[in-house]
Amino acid sequence: MNNQADRIIIFDTTLRDGEQCPGATLNIEEKLVIAKQLSRLGVDVIEAGFAFASPGDFAAVSKIAETVGLPDGPIICSLARAKQDDIKTAAAAIKSAAKGRIHTFLATSDIHLQYKLKKTRPEVVSIARDMVAYAKSFTNDVEFSPEDAGRSDPEFLYEVLTEVIAAGATTVNIPDTVGYTTPGEFGNLIRGIKENVPNITQAIISVHGHNDLGLAVANFLEAVKNGARQLECTINGIGERAGNAALEELVMGLHVRRQYFNPFFGRPADSEAPLTNIDTRQIYKTSRLVSNLTGMLVQPNKAIVGANAFAHESGIHQDGVLKNKLTYEIMDAQLIGLTDNQIVLGKHSGRNAFRSRLKELGFELSENDLNKAFIRFKDVADKKKDISDWDLEAIVNDEIKQVPDLFKIELVQVSCGSNARPTATVTLRTPDGQELTDAAIGTGPVDAVYRAINRVVNVPNDLIEFSVQSVTAGIDALGEVTIRLRYESRVFSGHAANTDIIVASAQAYVNALNRLYAAINQKTNQEVTA
């Protein structure tokens, strides 16, 4: 293996680091849905989780390895600390994948050695070497990360990397764990590794970085210029604290500026060959899916996938774009899969037409999910004359989300007006089958609905985020509601779409409460078992 690969390997860690973002917890079914879409997107490696972290994580990694880790699919990877139990568990989780990888890590910065690990440098070198060798006994594809490499002593870093490559690491990942470095510093770090690690040609140089200073993508692109050939990133840049380097920004940066980056790969500047294996037309769809399932909204001015990324309000800009898009647009919106709202279905459309259109949009649903989505489609079509592709995506994403089936909304009724006190009546079916009805007064219709639901569910929580977005233009547009609740130290998200924004708000709230209620019951059951 040579670290002078002629393209960039895209390592997606949405399902591992991305899921560590507060409120972004996913269940197994949701992770599998995202993993399948990541495969369609064309990522080279999916870091499916941290198998040792919990039975749920192990089950998710195993299911993804079995279902998505096909011979022509991506490498399926599990994270593991540099400990035998972690590594053995990771190996078991990825066992069914045609191509499996173990990604083990150990901190190398002095601050981590002193305060977290409480170990000396020679001890760290020995552990890293031995654990990479142990991982190698399970798979030929082993990745090692010196955690907090960005703040590590370069000479010590070179020593550790030399030892782990000799022990069998095929990828060495250089993490800017706390998002501390600047592009120049990060590029110099990668160059120093190339020049001072004698066996570096036996491994791919990878990079991982957080966006605490807003520099993650810039750092990565500078690393590419200096020899990095694998980029560890997430959809929409989600992740701990300020998030990770965003996959869509990296891929499109390399695509739009191919002429600039080509020479760093030994290519002619005018080469049109892609620098990644990503199918860019799947980017927008993947972004929407991850946003919907995690409850992490994409800011309107977000590069590449934000709602305003291809919008022009300035008169001068509008005039220029109408004459020639290249005046103010450096890429075509269709390149990321953002198409005009082509109306293809209505209330008279049949099941086969519905199934065929979903397949064209990249959705491959089970019979059960297809039935649920078709029922929702018919319901929406009765209320909304024209159904766009965006509407279809919202309907499908809303229906295939796997939320614990506990409390169910049977009725939502609201009375409000300019001189009235907003009042809501709700009827919920409880997990034991009872129908309970209650009413409440609030500062507005949504507040009244939420107060009434809380009286029925009776689970303490704090509403920390409420957001409404329109799927398409028009007064009859589907409204998507995303909320986040806090219970003790945990955050739970809920999402729903409906032409009635009050109903969508109620359903999103109940979805979040169901996640919270399931988590409380699971914790209680574990304590009773213990």
Side-chain angles (χ1 to χ4, degrees), residues 86-122:
D86 278 44
I87 292 169
K88 187 176 181 180
T89 302
I94 64 170
K95 187 176 181 180
S96 59
K99 295 170 289 188
R101 174 182 296 185
I102 295 173
H103 177 193
T104 188
F105 69 97
L106 186 64
T108 54
S109 68
D110 288 335
I111 191 169
H112 276 240
L113 266 62
Q114 180 179 353
Y115 295 104
K116 188 178 80 170
L117 298 180
K118 300 188 185 302
K119 295 188 181 296
T120 64
R121 287 185 175 186

Side-chain angles (χ1 to χ4, degrees), residues 123-140:
E123 287 177 316
V124 166
V125 171
S126 177
I127 294 169
R129 181 182 60 238
D130 292 347
M131 290 304 97
V132 165
Y134 184 64
K136 194 74 171 181
S137 70
F138 295 102
T139 176
N140 287 325

Side-chain angles (χ1 to χ4, degrees), residues 230-512:
Q230 176 177 284
L231 305 180
E232 305 200 356
C233 44
T234 61
I235 302 299
N236 300 333
I238 65 172
E240 288 192 282
R241 304 186 314 278
N244 287 265
L247 180 148
E248 61 278 2
E249 295 177 24
L250 291 166
V251 168
M252 294 311 295
L254 290 166
H255 179 81
V256 172
R257 299 303 311 276
R258 287 193 304 280
Q259 291 182 337
Y260 175 77
F261 285 103
N262 277 335
F264 297 102
F265 292 81
R267 302 179 178 189
D270 59 356
S271 172
E272 291 296 320
L275 290 172
T276 73
N277 279 341
I278 296 296
D279 178 357
T280 62
R281 295 166 298 177
Q282 295 285 336
I283 285 177
Y284 184 73
K285 185 182 305 171
T286 310
S287 169
R288 291 268 299 170
L289 178 67
V290 169
S291 176
N292 287 341
L293 293 184
T294 61
M296 303 298 298
L297 295 177
V298 175
Q299 66 195 61
N301 62 324
K302 167 76 168 63
I304 313 301
V305 292
N308 294 345
F310 295 93
H312 302 275
E313 185 168 338
S314 162
I316 295 173
H317 285 211
Q318 290 174 343
D319 179 65
V321 168
L322 288 173
K323 292 174 179 175
N324 188 319
K325 284 187 176 182
L326 293 178
T327 54
Y328 288 102
E329 288 187 0
I330 61 173
M331 59 188 133
D332 192 327
Q334 293 185 1
L335 192 59
I336 65 164
L338 187 59
T339 58
D340 293 334
N341 296 334
Q342 299 174 350
I343 308 303
V344 292
L345 296 177
K347 67 179 182 179
H348 299 298
S349 298
R351 180 187 174 87
N352 286 337
F354 179 72
R355 184 203 302 267
S356 296
R357 187 59 191 144
L358 290 185
K359 191 171 183 179
E360 290 173 10
L361 291 173
F363 293 104
E364 298 177 8
L365 306 185
S366 66
E367 280 300 311
N368 184 50
D369 284 340
L370 181 68
N371 290 338
K372 289 163 60 180
F374 187 65
I375 291 171
R376 272 295 306 280
F377 161 71
K378 282 295 190 180
D379 179 58
V380 172
D382 281 336
K383 302 172 183 175
K384 191 176 189 292
K385 180 180 178 182
D386 297 321
I387 307 296
S388 72
D389 288 349
W390 290 2
D391 291 322
L392 289 176
E393 288 182 15
I395 291 168
V396 173
N397 289 335
D398 198 37
E399 284 302 311
I400 65 176
K401 288 195 307 299
Q402 302 292 325
V403 178
D405 194 14
L406 299 170
F407 293 95
K408 292 182 180 179
I409 295 177
E410 299 292 338
L411 176 139
V412 176
Q413 187 171 303
V414 172
S415 173
C416 62
S418 59
N419 295 310
R421 299 192 68 182
T423 306
T425 301
V426 301
T427 299
L428 266 63
R429 187 177 298 277
T430 67
D432 59 6
Q434 296 185 68
E435 278 196 9
L436 299 180
T437 300
D438 214 323
I441 295 172
T443 57
V446 174
D447 182 51
V449 168
Y450 285 5
R451 289 175 182 269
I453 290 173
N454 276 334
R455 290 166 66 96
V456 174
V457 177
N458 196 29
V459 175
N461 66 84
D462 294 317
L463 178 63
I464 60 174
E465 185 177 323
F466 175 86
S467 176
V468 182
Q469 288 186 313
S470 173
V471 174
T472 57
I475 197 168
D476 62 350
L478 277 176
E480 289 186 321
V481 175
T482 300
I483 69 158
R484 301 172 79 197
L485 305 176
R486 179 183 289 120
Y487 173 77
E488 294 180 345
S489 62
R490 298 185 62 183
V491 176
F492 300 86
S493 64
H495 176 90
N498 200 289
T499 51
D500 187 326
I501 203 64
I502 303 300
V503 174
S505 298
Q507 188 60 63
Y509 195 63
V510 169
N511 285 347

